[in-house]
Each structure stands twice: as structure tokens, then as C-alpha cells.
Amino acid sequence: MDHVSAFDEPLKKLLGGATAKVMAEHLDLHTVGDLLHHYPRRYEERGRLTALTELPLDEHVTVVAQVADARIMMFNNGRGKRLEVTLTDGSGRLQLVFFGHGVHKPHKELLPGRRAMFAGKASVFNRKMQLAHPTYQLLDAQDEDEATEAVDAFAGQLLPIYPACKQLDSWRIAKAVDTVLPSAQDAVDPLPATLRDGRGFVPLPEALLKIHRPRTRADVEAAKERLRWDEAFVLQVALARRRYADTQLPAVARRSVPGGLLDAFDAKLPFTLTEGQHKVTAEIFGDLATEHPMHRLLQGEVGSGKTMVALRAMLTVVDAGGQAAMLAPTEVLAQQHHRSVTEMMGELAEGGMLGGSDRGTKVVLLTGSMGVPARRRALLDLVTGEAGIVIGTHALIEDKVQFHDLGLVVVDEQHRFGVEQRDALRSKGKQPPHLLVMTATPIPRTVAMTVFGDLETSVLDQLPAGRSPIASHVVPAKDKPHFLDRAWERVREEVENGHQAYVVCPRIGDDADEAAEKKKGKKEAAPEEGAEKRPPLAVLEIAEQLRKGPLAGLRVEVLHGRMHPDDKDDVMRRFAAGRADVLVATTVIEVGVNVPNATAMVIMDADRFGVSQLHQLRGRVGRGSAPGLCLLVSEAHEASPARARLSAVAATLDGFELSRIDLEQRREGDVLGQAQSGVRSSLRVLSVIDDEEVIAAAREEAVRVVADDPALERLPELRTALDALLDKDREEYLDKG
């Protein structure tokens, strides 16, 4: 039987229509191969043998004990009966109960004085430990050796517990797996033989057998180690082939020119670059100087100086005769980048204008809401090459936008950017332009290697000199209301010392708010168990309360996503100029708002935000020389997971450490996100959290294999596995990054 027919055999042929239908609809399992890759989530040992005095509650346990006493009890006026059996093992006593029709057999067999092995779930009833309806095996009928053997076989047996659904429980899935398990022999092994032997992995058919029907924990480990590698390796080969294909594309090398814009810019910098900025710049300049397009991900904490690094790369490209485009996810951000770039460049940004530098270039802004004349002028500057640098939103991607010679695209905050956009912009160059993707969300190295695996990664992990540390504290508003009063006093103190503050709320709070949420189909973050289900605090309400109450007399302004862009910009300008003291806002301030004089931030209902989001928000304060303060206000219970999250954020300023915590709490499915469903659904035993070494090693092996044999001509089995991984939508996903 060749592998294709064995693994691609539809389940309904083997399992019958009804079961196959449930598997297809609820578990997305369609073929024999799908079911063989539906691995057990965990294994119940029919308990390790446990002394009666040490039984853990609510766990599957196995005990060997002697029957001390057994009696039938009647209840419900004699209509119901139950069998109660008391066991003893010398260390203590334990009660078993059997109900209804289940009492006859044990009543005959479990006689006082008999020894047996019992397995079941330990629970407490009437303050006594009991096992309800345990399975058991009599031991004293056999000689001692046989009895020991029976104990070992029974206690050591691992019961696979499968990810199941309401319509199909784990034991029925296990039976279905038994039916298809013989096909595991036909599994085609994707790992090259040298790699398999070199790392001492078990063959794939054996791994499948051992993960479904292990005899020992060691079997499970051997199987998982092997299957983890399959997943990591096949995925990394797919990504390595993408990177290899990219290196085959032509690009114009952009080498820095001495005495150009970059040198003039560096000469007027009022500070020196950090060591990290120098290292990352060297990596980027190295890529720009090659005849293949750069594809690099630049990760750095908020405020680590990514924009500075990106700007110097843009100036290099302009020096080399090309143009650079920077793509931002929102108009507010595009305007801010434009403002900060022109400020940093000074007269160098006014090329061709009166008073501009003769070495300068034009820096233009292009957004959807610009007036027609301004837009026409910007487009003209782009097509003639007059503008060396353009900063804009998705408007840059429209068909009308023509470049003179696009050499570099910088994308800000990749995860908000569809990939189609990245590609559309790429097609604007005569040859593919170089690409630099910036993100301030610290992505654990493993996720970067999996999700952005087609990009090389550079990390900026030092903060520039002169940045102040941020002190963070959790404010338990429910347990200690006076802490919240103190928080508002702290805000007042900051303002009295000439500084400014942010107050962040999860929601806007007008009636349109709820309607919009409903329309989007968004659900509120579910509150912790047992918490009051009040709606999250809202900007408009909190601003009103603060103006009347604790912050009366201060200039309190609001900012949220549904304000008109001009009004938003107006508020931001006033706040940046120090004409407002406190800004009550939604997370619109999360990215890119730069007000060095803002030193305090109060986050209301902080438990409604994710870990990395809190970290991003906090990065908005302490941007100047005065120390920052971040207060996380929450009504979550002290022992709740929500509070544990907040304490973690308060305890460290290291974004990579926090992104790890975030990942552990959210499970990687959410991190890889819906957009990456192709990757997510293919990760079965591989954990993006724990398997950093595996992913890193698989990446190295993959690079080696692809460099040696780009088309995988000598590895047909690996090609087959790739085709299975890269069915239509995953192929698209990888193509678009």
C-alpha cells in the first residue's frame, strides 16, 4: 500500500460515517494522516501506586489495598442502593462506593480480607476521601510473582487523553486511533537520513506508535522529541526556502557615500549612538550594500532609538541616489514620524528650498486625508525624485503613487500591517527595494523565528543614554481605595512639578461605543471568575470624574480613536506643547506618541489589557530626563491570574522577559494570531515557548539543507511533507509574511 493512499485515506472509509463526520466538523480531522497527527494532550497513568494517606484530590490514582469491610446501603426509601467498601493498606483507610446496577459484581468479589488494585479519581464526600466507581483487579488469586506483574502492568499503563470535543470523548478517539494505527507503518519520513541518524531520532512510524500507545514515559519523550523536530524542521525549511528565493532576487546595492547627507546628519547629532545602534546599523548597511533585497526585522523597546537607526538607513539610500519610503499604520503616527524626522534633520530636510541645505533632500508626507493640492505636490515630488524621503500611510500603496527610484521601504509596527501592503509597495521599485520592518513589541526569539522567519532579525536592547527608569506599582482599588486617592495625589504632584500625565482607559464610553463594539462583534475581555461583570471604565466618564473630583483645576483633555483626525492632532499638539496637564485616552497613545515631559501614567482597569500592551503603554512615560511613574489600577482579586500578570509587569522593565510571560499565559496560538493560522494549526507538539533550542537548531539545519539543495531534488520525502504543510492558504500566508 503506497503512502499516499494510506495516509490520505478518508476517515469515513475506516470509521463509519457518523464518527468521521464529527471528526471533520469539530476536530478538523479528515484523513488517516490527520488522525495520526492528532496527538494525546496528556497521559493518565492509572495512577502511580499511592499510599492511602497521601492521595491527591481530583487525580487519577491507583492503590493496592485490602478490603476491610463491605456493605450494601439502601437510600431513597429503599429504591436505591449503593455498595460501600472500606479499604486499608496499613497506612490509612479509604472508602469506595458503587451505585445502582454497578454493585452486583464488586459485592460478590470484594470480600473482607481480599487484596486488589483499585484505580479511580479521588474525591471528598462528607469530609471523607473516597473513590467512586473505581476499576479494580483482584490480586490475591494469583501467586506473588504474578501479582507483582499485574500491579506493574496495571499501574504503569498510560492512558492517552486526547483533545476531544463534546460530541466525541477521548476514549472514542482512542478507539478510532487503534483502528488507523497500523497505517503508521506507511509514514514517509521527512527528515534527511543523515540528520535523523546524527541526532539519534527514532524512525517516524515508531514515533507515531509511541506517542499514541506508549508503554513508558520514556516512550512518550522519545516520540515527542522526534515529532517536535519534524514540525520545527519542515516549517524552517519552508522559511529558509523563502529567504533563499529572496536572495536570488536582484536589487540595486545602496552603498553609503562619504560627504553626503548621512555624514552631514551625523555631524550635527547632539549625542553619540549607543553600541547597540552601531551594531544594528552595521548589519543594515551590510545588507543594503548587496545586490539582493534586504529583508530585516528591527526589534527594539519603545525608545531604544529604532527611528534613528531607520532614518540613517534612509539617508544612506538617498545618498546612493535612491528614495526611501516609511509606512506607518495610522495617520497620527505618519504625522508624528514626519514631524520627528524633519526635526531631527533640520535644514537637511529642506532640499531645494530657500534656506535648505544644498546637500539636503525633501521629506514629504502622504496620507489619505490630505487636501488635493498638497497631495498633488507630494506625488509630483515623488515622481521627479525631488523628495528623497516619503512618510505615509496605506495611501502610499495606491496605484497613483509613482516613485522615481524606490530603494528602501521601512515598515513601522509590522503586526498591524497586512502583508499585501508590504508586497504592493515592493512592486513600486524598478527592482525589489530593500525592506526594513520595525516593531516595538518585543517578540521572543522563537516566535520571531517562526512568524517572521523569512526576515533576518536585529535587536536593539539598550536604552539610549539619558532615558530615565520607570517605577511601576499595582494599585488595588477594591481592597485599598485609599491607594487610588494617593495615585491621584501623585498625578497632581507631577503636574505641580511642571510635568504631565496620561490616564488610560479600556473604552471610549459614549453610546456609539457599545454599538461599534457590537458591530465589530468584539466581546469584552471576560472578567475573572466571580468578578463583578461591570463594563470596563471609559475615557469620557473618567475624564468627567477627574475634572470634578481629584484633578479639579488641572487642564484635563481627552483623546480617542473616534475623534476627527484634525481634532486628534490638535489635542496631541497641545499636549506636546505643554498646554494640557493630563491626557485621558484610549490605547491610541500606545504607539509613537512622544512627549518627553510626560512623567506619569495611570492605567485604569489595567487587568483588561495584555502584558505586552501594558508594557507598550508604559513606554510612553520617562522619555525625558525625569523619572517615570506607572500606576496599574485594578479591582482584580489578589490571588487572581490577572493580578499575577500585573505584578509581573510591575516587577520588570525588560520587554523580552515580559513577552515570554505573556506567551506562557496566552498560549502560543493567540500570539501567532489568527492571521498566521497556517502556522498555528501545524504546530502540534512544538511549543514556541519551551522549544527555543529545537527551533534554533532546526533553523540552522534547514539553512544548511536548502543551501545544499534549494529545490530539494535529493529529498523527495521532505518535498512531500512541505507540500502537505504548504497547502494553499499557508503558502499564501508565508508568501505574505
Side-chain angles (χ1 to χ4, degrees):
M1 188 188 228
D2 72 346
H3 126 269
V4 175
S5 54
F7 260 49
D8 294 345
E9 192 77 51
L11 285 170
K12 59 171 172 284
K13 269 195 172 163
L14 292 164
L15 302 179
T19 308
K21 186 169 184 240
V22 173
M23 286 193 166
E25 283 176 9
H26 296 281
L27 298 168
D28 198 21
L29 305 174
H30 307 274
T31 63
V32 167
D34 290 343
L35 183 52
L36 285 173
H37 286 302
H38 186 70
Y39 308 132
R41 174 179 289 145
R42 59 193 164 86
Y43 304 86
E44 285 285 10
E45 307 193 15
R46 288 207 170 126
R48 299 178 189 74
L49 298 182
T50 318
L52 293 187
T53 46
E54 300 164 6
L55 288 187
L57 262 185
D58 285 335
E59 275 186 35
H60 216 83
V61 294
T62 301
V63 295
V64 173
Q66 199 164 19
V67 177
D69 174 53
R71 60 185 61 182
I72 293 264
M73 316 286 277
M74 298 306 216
F75 59 92
N76 234 351
N77 293 333
R79 283 202 299 279
K81 57 182 170 180
R82 66 172 181 267
L83 171 65
E84 289 186 0
V85 179
T86 309
L87 302 181
T88 170
D89 68 348
S91 78
R93 293 171 99 74
L94 174 69
Q95 187 132 39
L96 313 179
V97 331
F98 299 88
F99 292 100
H101 299 303
V103 307
H104 307 304
K105 187 166 175 263
H107 192 212
K108 287 210 300 278
E109 296 181 336
L110 298 177
L111 304 172
R114 298 204 75 167
R115 268 179 84 241
M117 182 160 40
F118 302 88
K121 207 173 204 185
S123 56
V124 169
F125 182 71
N126 275 345
R127 294 224 284 274
K128 269 207 220 117
M129 187 78 95
Q130 70 167 27
L131 298 185
H133 278 292
T135 46
Y136 63 90
Q137 189 170 352
L138 296 168
L139 297 175
D140 50 7
Q142 305 138 328
D143 63 42
E144 209 40 51
D145 283 350
E146 259 186 65
T148 320
E149 216 170 282
V151 169
D152 288 349
F154 196 95
Q157 196 175 356
L158 294 172
L159 300 173
I161 305 295
Y162 286 92
C165 58
K166 199 165 73 196
Q167 297 77 2
L168 199 63
D169 28 31
S170 171
W171 59 267
R172 282 170 60 204
I173 296 173
K175 277 174 83 166
V177 170
D178 284 335
T179 311
V180 301
L181 212 46
S183 306
Q185 291 314 315
D186 305 306
V188 164
D189 202 325
L191 293 191
T194 49
L195 183 127
R196 196 171 59 230
D197 303 342
R199 292 188 177 261
F201 290 137
V202 299
L204 185 56
E206 187 184 327
L208 288 170
L209 216 57
K210 280 183 166 167
I211 199 155
H212 287 292
R213 297 293 172 263
R215 286 193 306 281
T216 61
R217 288 274 165 198
D219 280 356
V220 175
E221 273 322 296
K224 278 191 168 169
E225 186 185 21
R226 163 66 220 248
L227 295 165
R228 236 178 241 137
W229 252 89
D230 281 21
E231 285 179 14
F233 180 71
V234 174
L235 180 58
Q236 291 302 335
V237 167
L239 294 164
R241 288 184 75 189
R242 293 254 345 161
R243 290 194 302 274
Y244 180 83
D246 284 341
T247 61
Q248 303 308 298
L249 292 172
V252 180
R254 312 281 178 175
R255 296 185 183 85
S256 50
V257 176
L261 255 176
L262 181 67
D263 286 354
F265 176 75
D266 285 351
K268 62 194 227 33
L269 271 187
F271 50 82
T272 52
L273 298 180
T274 66
E275 203 180 310
Q277 284 174 319
H278 278 300
K279 181 178 118 291
V280 169
T281 298
E283 293 170 350
I284 292 172
F285 284 11
D287 286 356
L288 289 175
T290 63
E291 314 234 315
H292 307 294
M294 159 170 84
H295 288 116
R296 197 167 273 283
L297 175 68
L298 174 57
Q299 286 184 261
E301 287 288 357
V302 170
S304 55
K306 292 185 300 297
T307 315
M308 173 61 71
V309 168
L311 177 54
R312 293 182 73 245
M314 288 158 77
L315 295 174
T316 298
V317 168
V318 175
D319 276 344
Q323 289 169 298
M326 185 185 229
L327 220 64
T330 63
E331 298 218 343
V332 170
L333 259 175
Q335 288 161 345
Q336 268 179 350
H337 278 312
H338 183 252
R339 203 175 308 143
S340 62
V341 164
T342 45
E343 277 167 14
M344 285 200 261
M345 286 176 63
E347 76 280 3
L348 296 175
E350 296 161 2
M353 299 187 213
L354 212 58
S357 160
D358 51 354
R359 277 188 294 193
T361 186
K362 246 189 198 177
V363 179
V364 299
L365 177 69
L366 190 64
T367 63
S369 66
M370 281 167 73
V372 176
R375 191 180 164 80
R376 197 173 290 138
R377 205 163 45 243
L379 290 172
L380 190 64
D381 287 341
L382 283 181
V383 86
T384 58
E386 186 98 351
I389 295 177
V390 58
I391 296 170
T393 53
H394 299 64
L396 275 180
I397 293 164
E398 291 171 13
D399 296 339
K400 298 194 223 30
V401 182
Q402 300 282 315
F403 288 87
H404 177 64
D405 178 13
L406 182 59
L408 168 68
V409 176
V410 178
V411 179
D412 185 23
E413 288 301 323
Q414 161 73 11
H415 55 285
R416 308 199 167 194
F417 237 152
V419 220
E420 293 87 353
Q421 286 99 328
R422 200 164 100 178
D423 283 359
L425 199 51
R426 222 184 242 178
S427 62
K428 298 267 182 198
K430 300 192 173 101
Q431 289 188 337
H434 299 282
L435 175 71
L436 180 65
V437 173
M438 301 197 295
T439 175
T441 312
I443 304 163
R445 177 164 160 252
T446 42
V447 178
M449 281 192 281
T450 335
V451 179
F452 296 118
D454 60 334
L455 301 170
E456 301 293 338
T457 309
S458 297
V459 178
L460 273 177
D461 45 14
Q462 296 167 294
L463 284 186
R467 267 315 184 81
S468 311
I470 303 168
S472 306
H473 304 285
V474 179
V475 177
K478 209 168 194 164
D479 320 341
K480 304 189 174 149
H482 59 283
F483 276 37
L484 184 55
D485 301 339
R486 177 72 189 114
W488 299 127
E489 280 171 28
R490 284 291 292 113
V491 169
R492 265 192 181 287
E493 286 163 18
E494 289 299 310
V495 172
E496 279 158 16
N497 290 331
H499 297 302
Q500 292 158 280
Y502 298 101
V503 177
V504 182
C505 304
R507 180 173 83 91
I508 300 171
D510 47 19
D511 299 335
D513 204 33
E514 278 67 43
E517 293 300 313
K518 278 208 182 83
K519 197 165 162 195
K520 275 194 209 149
K522 263 198 184 165
K523 294 187 184 69
E524 290 296 356
E528 298 297 328
E529 282 309 300
E532 286 298 295
K533 294 203 172 175
R534 65 162 175 73
L537 295 171
V539 167
L540 301 174
E541 290 147 25
I542 293 289
E544 198 49 37
Q545 288 168 22
L546 292 177
R547 284 184 187 122
K548 288 183 177 152
L551 301 184
L554 301 186
R555 296 168 298 176
V556 177
E557 296 255 9
V558 299
L559 179 72
H560 58 75
R562 278 212 307 280
M563 288 162 63
H564 188 281
D566 293 350
D567 297 341
K568 266 195 269 198
D569 214 46
D570 203 33
V571 169
M572 271 320 305
R573 271 208 196 89
R574 280 207 300 281
F575 189 65
R579 295 204 299 277
D581 302 316
V582 179
L583 189 60
V584 185
T586 53
T587 51
V588 288
I589 62 159
E590 178 185 354
V591 213
V593 171
N594 188 10
V595 181
N597 189 43
T599 52
M601 176 177 285
V602 181
I603 302 179
M604 308 302 291
D605 274 346
D607 46 281
R608 310 258 182 164
F609 299 97
V611 170
S612 49
Q613 203 175 21
L614 289 168
H615 180 63
Q616 288 273 15
L617 286 166
R618 169 172 64 186
R620 300 286 125 219
V621 295
R623 297 175 77 89
S625 50
L629 172 69
C630 178
L631 301 173
L632 306 165
V633 179
S634 164
E635 291 187 3
H637 189 306
E638 198 166 356
S640 64
R643 271 287 281 281
R645 268 204 318 270
L646 296 181
S647 304
V649 174
T652 177
L653 291 171
D654 178 346
F656 285 91
E657 175 57 28
L658 286 174
S659 67
R660 235 188 142 73
I661 293 170
D662 199 19
L663 201 50
E664 277 160 23
Q665 293 185 328
R666 294 199 326 210
R667 300 193 329 282
E668 48 265 18
D670 307 342
V671 178
L672 301 181
Q674 292 307 312
Q676 283 88 354
S677 59
V679 172
R680 195 188 60 210
S681 53
S682 66
L683 294 187
R684 300 245 163 78
V685 274
L686 190 70
S687 152
V688 188
I689 305 166
D690 305 320
D691 297 325
E692 186 161 331
E693 285 74 32
V694 175
I695 293 173
R699 178 173 166 131
E700 276 171 33
E701 293 277 9
V703 169
R704 198 171 307 140
V705 165
V706 170
D708 181 47
D709 180 5
L712 305 180
E713 278 161 8
R714 299 190 293 285
L715 299 168
E717 297 85 359
L718 178 55
R719 268 214 318 276
T720 305
L722 264 184
D723 294 340
L725 173 74
L726 302 180
D727 53 35
K728 200 71 203 102
D729 56 314
R730 291 181 197 151
E731 181 73 70
E732 274 170 25
Y733 152 66
L734 283 173
D735 271 347
K736 299 194 173 138

